[in-house]
Amino acid sequence: MTTPETNPETTPEMPAAPETPAAPAAAVAPAAKKARNTLGLVALGLAVLGALLAVIPATNGFSWVILLGAFIVSIVALTRKGQGKTMALIALIVSFLFWIISIFVGIAVVATAVSESLDDAPSISAPDTADADADAGTDAEPAAAAGIGDTITTDDGVEITLLSITPNATSPDDYFASEVRGSLVAVSMSMVNGTNEAVTISGGSVNGFIGEAEYEAARIYGTESGDWYALEEINPGLTAAFTAYIDIPADATLDSVSYTTELFFGDGVMFLAK
């Protein structure tokens, strides 16, 4: 029996084994999100509040405390690891910038207050010795001006008496005494405090005048005690006697002297020195 020959060209091909699909690539894990920096938010809020207070003159002084707190909190917030630092950085910059601005605003407020105080200071004019009553005609006598031995009561109730004026005087020794460049004139006064609060006697209380020139007292001492009056407080109802030493040119004499109850804000009186 004959076996049929197999024709290789007619032999059916075996189907190829199916390819195993490749495993999908592992998904990339998203980066961890930084936690919210609560301290940074607090610092930013304080910085914004302080900035608003800094530009308002009435609250400028309080803003310094708020801005300082914002600055410190922002620094602490920047040291937190794993938390956002954007708000803390903004708070740091804002608090520092407006702290500088608040300093300039504060200086401007103080300068304005001092300027207004000087503008409101009482103006003291020399007494008019030729003041006559216009309604009395040409025979009216001129009003008498206050001088040595006279007493003037200020509008606020302080009684000032000019006791004496002594040229070529020598003041008590004092460590704080300024150099004498001309000649000292001793102006002795007494004061009765008839107000309801203390009155301060200091170097700026007594001034002398030669024409339009004004001379401040170089120093003031208690007449009886010899104590230096830097800022001597005289309480209501009490009396003080004091001597002011005024440095003037050696060949000159005072025309008048004045006394002011309080520096910048007090009432002033004027006496003739001749």
Side-chain angles (χ1 to χ4, degrees):
M1 192 172 174
T2 304
T3 304
E5 294 182 1
T6 303
N7 188 355
E9 294 180 358
T10 59
T11 303
E13 295 182 359
M14 296 295 292
E19 295 182 358
T20 305
V28 178
K33 186 178 181 180
K34 291 185 177 181
R36 176 180 294 180
N37 195 334
T38 305
L39 276 181
L41 182 61
V42 173
L44 183 59
L46 290 175
V48 172
L49 176 61
L52 294 175
L53 297 177
V55 297
I56 301 174
T59 59
N60 175 264
F62 186 68
S63 70
W64 294 14
V65 179
I66 301 297
L67 291 171
L68 179 60
F71 185 81
I72 295 174
V73 174
S74 62
I75 292 178
V76 175
L78 287 172
T79 62
R80 293 292 185 92
K81 294 182 179 180
Q83 296 186 0
K85 294 180 172 54
T86 302
M87 289 186 294
L89 183 60
I90 294 174
L92 181 69
I93 296 173
V94 171
S95 60
F96 178 77
L97 177 62
F98 276 89
W99 189 78
I100 298 298
I101 293 175
S102 68
I103 293 177
F104 286 100
V105 174
I107 293 174
V109 170
V110 173
T112 301
V114 172
S115 177
E116 291 177 352
S117 298
L118 292 176
D119 291 339
D120 294 337
S123 62
I124 304 173
S125 58
D128 187 1
T129 59
D131 184 19
D133 187 354
D135 297 333
T138 57
D139 295 334
E141 293 293 333
I148 297 175
D150 293 330
T151 300
I152 301 177
T153 302
T154 66
D155 292 339
D156 52 12
V158 178
E159 296 181 8
I160 306 297
T161 302
L162 177 59
L163 301 176
S164 64
I165 296 179
T166 306
N168 301 317
T170 301
S171 70
D173 294 332
D174 191 275
Y175 178 79
F176 297 101
S178 57
E179 179 183 356
V180 178
R181 295 176 173 80
S183 176
L184 289 180
V185 176
V187 178
S188 296
M189 294 181 170
S190 66
M191 183 265 284
V192 179
N193 184 3
T195 70
N196 295 322
E197 57 186 17
V199 173
T200 303
I201 301 176
S202 65
S205 299
V206 180
N207 291 279
F209 295 86
I210 301 176
E212 297 296 328
E214 182 176 357
Y215 297 82
E216 292 187 1
R219 63 208 77 166
I220 294 182
Y221 297 91
T223 301
E224 298 177 354
S225 65
D227 293 335
W228 176 47
Y229 281 8
L231 290 171
E232 192 74 10
E233 296 285 340
I234 309 301
N235 285 324
L238 299 181
T239 301
F242 52 92
T243 300
Y245 295 87
I246 304 175
D247 192 5
I248 65 173
D251 57 350
T253 57
L254 291 176
D255 295 328
S256 58
V257 294
S258 69
Y259 177 84
T260 305
T261 56
E262 292 289 346
L263 186 63
F264 299 137
F265 301 103
D267 290 332
V269 296
M270 183 75 73
F271 296 89
L272 289 180
K274 299 178 180 179

